[in-house]
Amino acid sequence: MSEAPQHWDVEADVVVLGSGGAALVAALSAHHHGAAEVVVLEKSGMVGGTTAMSGGMLWIPLNHHQAAHGIEDSVDEVVDYLDAMAPGLLDPDTVSGFLEGGPEMVRFLAEHTPVRLRLFTGFPDYQPNLIGAKAHGGRSLDPEAYPFDELGPAASRVNPPKAGLPKLTSRMEDYYGEVGPEELEERRRRDFRGQGQALIGSLYRGILDRNIPVHFETRARQLCTEAGRVVGVTAEQGGRIIRVRARRGVIICTGGFEWNEQLVKAFLRGPMTGPISVPECEGDGLLMAMEVGASLGNMSNAWWMTSSKESSATRRGSVNSYLPSQVERTYPGSIMVNRAGRRFVNEALNYNAIGFVLHNYDADRYEFPNLPFWLIFDSRFASRYRLFTSRPGEPVPSWTVSADTLDELAAAVGLDPHGLVRTVARFNADVAAGHDDEFGRGDNTYDNFWGDQSFPAPYSTLGPIDQPPYHAILMEAGVNGTCGGPRANGDAQVLDWTGRPILGLYVGSNTMSAVTAGGYGGAGGTIGPGMTFGYLAGRHAARQA
């Protein structure tokens, strides 16, 4: 924290820190609601952050698309569902802000930006068996594929996908196979991109249309205050310090703290070894907010994600080689085991829920029995399905360990061979009987939604492991991002330890103490709330004197 300087290098009504989905919505909202001058400060040389690498969906209950599809929803149902995921931890003010602001934000995007969202029909909430859940979909929105030729040279500024080329299709088009070969060819010609690329590309087009400047390679470091109010920020840019004035407010949307080893050790509830976010998520916004007296919430939680470390990948000079797993652990013919060679969870559960199982603690042995853990699969699986960087039928990823027998595979990676052989035998017997008696994999709509749709449930996620060679990939306790940080009210104003707003300071994205308190509602359960509070922050800040 520093006192307001006498000289400012840049002046604006609203200053937004970061350029992920929440940050870009914050900037667009502030400009639309009356802030004539808005600037974005981005730490890296690219826009989009982790959002650009994601599936790009938004979990927004009560959205206006539901009525068009005959889907009924209510505030009571949503609150029941959120409370079931995080009992006793919800803040009524922020939940109200989310439930009111989310649908408004979706309409704002439709009416005032190039973003086009549609309901991902049939996509279940991530905990479909809980009270208030929508087991057959209705709350997750999917961005339509966006032509990057609309961005011109600015397209090179959008953060690329985690691995491989951008998808030509949206998540729903990809899932339902809606796009024919002629349309795909036209999309290649115009550089259409789906999912997180589509969301960020269309948001960035909105930023360019409004002439909102983005200052790249500009890392915000300290908030400037005057008489207890935040009035600007100091930042590092090109080896020098610049001072940026914010007449109406500073909005922090810099992401979480998962790449800051000191903060991870200080706050997270258990080991975290494989973040899949951009390496710029080092807790800059958290540290700045703490310095001006922000109260904190939800600090031990994160958006947990099973991941694997690609052995040779680097990104912009920093190791960023952790790849998320979904198909790899959900499609029929794979399991996950701990060092005892035993399964420990329904592998087809949503990724956030699996994180809690990884942190089970053995008080007798003083260890986390499910860490480390491995993905186990056979040659049939490798021939049929994608494996991180390998397409079906290609050689398995370079960091895979392979063997002709399960005993040899266990010995090669340090597993209990008897445990692994028994585990695979039991799993294969359950598959043959048509039910996973041990963990119930395939028992709910979410499990089977992510499985191989060419097989009927539960075989969309259940398949035998019996064709050598056998393979093992070491997995990581990863995260999409942390979700603890400064507490906020329903207008996205940061609160101090007495519960009063810190004037001039706002928060959104994974920087903020999550409105769902770590419960992951459904597809887009991070991006939807994050962008909603970006929208609320921009609206409120723009209306300040």
Side-chain angles (χ1 to χ4, degrees):
M1 177 177 61
S2 61
E3 291 298 315
Q6 293 182 340
H7 167 74
W8 298 96
D9 300 288
V10 178
E11 296 195 33
D13 294 316
V14 175
V15 176
V16 180
L17 310 182
S19 71
L24 297 183
V25 169
L28 292 167
S29 174
H31 191 271
H32 175 77
H33 287 103
E37 294 180 287
V38 179
V39 299
V40 176
L41 307 186
E42 167 51 42
K43 182 178 179 178
S44 75
M46 313 286 280
V47 298
T50 304
T51 311
M53 305 189 306
S54 73
M57 290 202 289
L58 287 71
W59 191 75
I60 303 289
L62 312 175
N63 65 77
H64 68 271
H65 296 276
Q66 290 177 316
H69 289 268
I71 296 170
E72 295 182 358
D73 205 354
S74 70
V75 170
D76 286 344
E77 285 180 281
V78 181
V79 172
D80 283 345
Y81 179 54
L82 294 177
D83 190 53
M85 286 190 292
L89 298 178
L90 301 180
D91 176 73
D93 191 31
T94 52
V95 170
S96 294
F98 172 50
L99 297 186
E100 294 173 12
E104 184 177 334
M105 184 264 296
V106 171
R107 288 191 180 277
F108 166 76
L109 293 176
E111 295 170 3
H112 301 289
T113 79
V115 177
R116 295 295 175 263
L117 302 170
R118 62 173 179 158
L119 201 70
F120 195 143
T121 55
F123 204 130
D125 283 343
Y126 277 8
Q127 302 288 347
N129 295 330
L130 293 183
I131 183 173
K134 291 296 176 188
H136 301 288
R139 292 169 177 163
S140 290
L141 300 170
D142 189 28
E144 294 183 5
Y146 182 75
F148 265 49
D149 63 359
E150 296 283 338
L151 288 171
S156 63
R157 284 288 194 181
V158 176
N159 204 28
K162 189 74 176 178
L165 296 173
K167 289 271 192 180
L168 294 168
T169 51
S170 70
R171 269 291 180 95
M172 189 158 77
E173 289 172 335
D174 196 31
Y175 184 82
Y176 288 116
E178 297 177 337
V179 183
E182 291 184 4
E183 172 65 16
L184 286 176
E185 187 56 39
E186 173 65 10
R187 290 189 180 191
R188 288 189 188 94
R189 188 183 69 80
R190 295 195 58 194
D191 193 15
F192 267 77
R193 304 187 192 182
Q195 305 182 20
Q197 294 282 291
L199 182 58
I200 291 300
S202 51
L203 285 171
Y204 191 32
R205 180 68 262 172
I207 293 290
L208 298 172
D209 289 345
R210 292 174 182 264
N211 295 313
I212 297 173
V214 178
H215 295 257
F216 292 103
E217 307 288 351
T218 304
R219 183 177 188 175
R221 283 297 200 181
Q222 271 192 320
L223 297 169
C224 301
T225 61
E226 188 175 84
R229 180 188 180 91
V230 173
V231 295
V233 63
T234 63
E236 297 172 355
Q237 184 186 74
R240 68 188 184 100
I241 298 296
I242 65 168
R243 297 163 179 82
V244 184
R245 184 183 182 190
R247 302 184 191 98
R248 304 187 190 185
V250 172
I251 304 174
I252 302 176
C253 293
T254 54
F257 58 84
E258 58 272 13
W259 286 91
N260 185 316
E261 185 178 355
Q262 184 178 4
L263 293 175
V264 165
K265 288 181 178 179
F267 290 118
L268 289 189
R269 66 187 294 269
M272 190 282 294
T273 58
I276 67 166
S277 58
V278 292
E280 288 80 25
C281 293
E282 298 176 276
D284 294 359
L286 170 64
L287 294 172
M288 284 186 281
M290 289 169 63
E291 196 175 29
V292 297
S295 62
L296 307 179
N298 203 45
M299 293 302 294
S300 64
N301 276 327
W303 307 117
W304 306 107
M305 164 65 78
T306 54
S307 66
S308 186
K309 184 177 182 181
E310 184 182 2
S311 56
S312 61
T314 59
R315 185 183 192 84
R316 295 200 295 275
S318 300
V319 174
N320 188 19
S321 51
Y322 300 102
L323 304 174
S325 68
Q326 182 71 50
V327 167
E328 293 83 2
R329 60 178 173 79
T330 303
Y331 272 37
S334 72
I335 57 173
M336 296 191 305
V337 301
N338 58 24
R339 73 192 106 171
R342 297 173 183 166
R343 293 175 68 211
F344 55 89
V345 72
N346 166 7
E347 295 88 352
L349 282 175
N350 79 78
Y351 38 83
N352 191 57
I354 290 177
F356 295 101
V357 181
L358 295 177
H359 291 155
N360 284 350
Y361 193 72
D362 187 332
D364 234 2
R365 301 172 64 92
Y366 267 63
E367 64 182 17
F368 295 94
N370 298 327
L371 292 172
F373 67 112
W374 286 263
L375 180 78
I376 306 294
F377 56 98
D378 65 3
S379 61
R380 181 197 293 111
F381 188 93
S383 69
R384 287 179 174 175
Y385 304 123
R386 187 199 76 210
L387 282 158
F388 299 108
T389 56
S390 298
R391 296 176 183 175
E394 292 182 347
V396 293
S398 60
W399 62 102
T400 306
V401 177
S402 304
D404 290 331
T405 69
L406 290 170
D407 297 81
E408 292 171 348
L409 183 67
V413 297
L415 303 179
D416 178 345
H418 300 296
L420 181 61
V421 170
R422 284 195 302 267
T423 293
V424 172
R426 174 174 180 174
F427 182 72
N428 287 345
D430 280 355
V431 171
H435 186 261
D436 174 17
D437 287 346
E438 191 170 14
F439 292 106
R441 177 169 163 180
D443 282 359
N444 67 55
T445 55
Y446 178 85
D447 292 3
N448 289 293
F449 188 90
W450 275 113
D452 183 342
Q453 298 303 303
S454 64
F455 295 100
Y459 295 104
S460 54
T461 188
L462 289 180
I465 303 171
D466 58 9
Q467 291 192 5
Y470 300 99
H471 308 285
I473 291 179
L474 178 65
M475 302 292 286
E476 306 290 338
V479 295
N480 288 329
T482 54
C483 59
R487 292 174 53 244
N489 62 17
D491 289 316
Q493 292 177 285
V494 175
L495 303 176
D496 67 16
W497 286 99
T498 69
R500 291 177 296 194
I502 298 174
L503 299 181
L505 186 60
Y506 300 84
V507 68
S509 79
N510 284 343
T511 312
M512 173 184 166
S513 175
V515 60
T516 60
Y520 210 118
T526 301
I527 296 174
M531 285 176 51
T532 296
F533 277 83
Y535 172 80
L536 294 171
R539 184 183 68 181
H540 194 274
R543 293 172 175 174
Q544 303 310 297

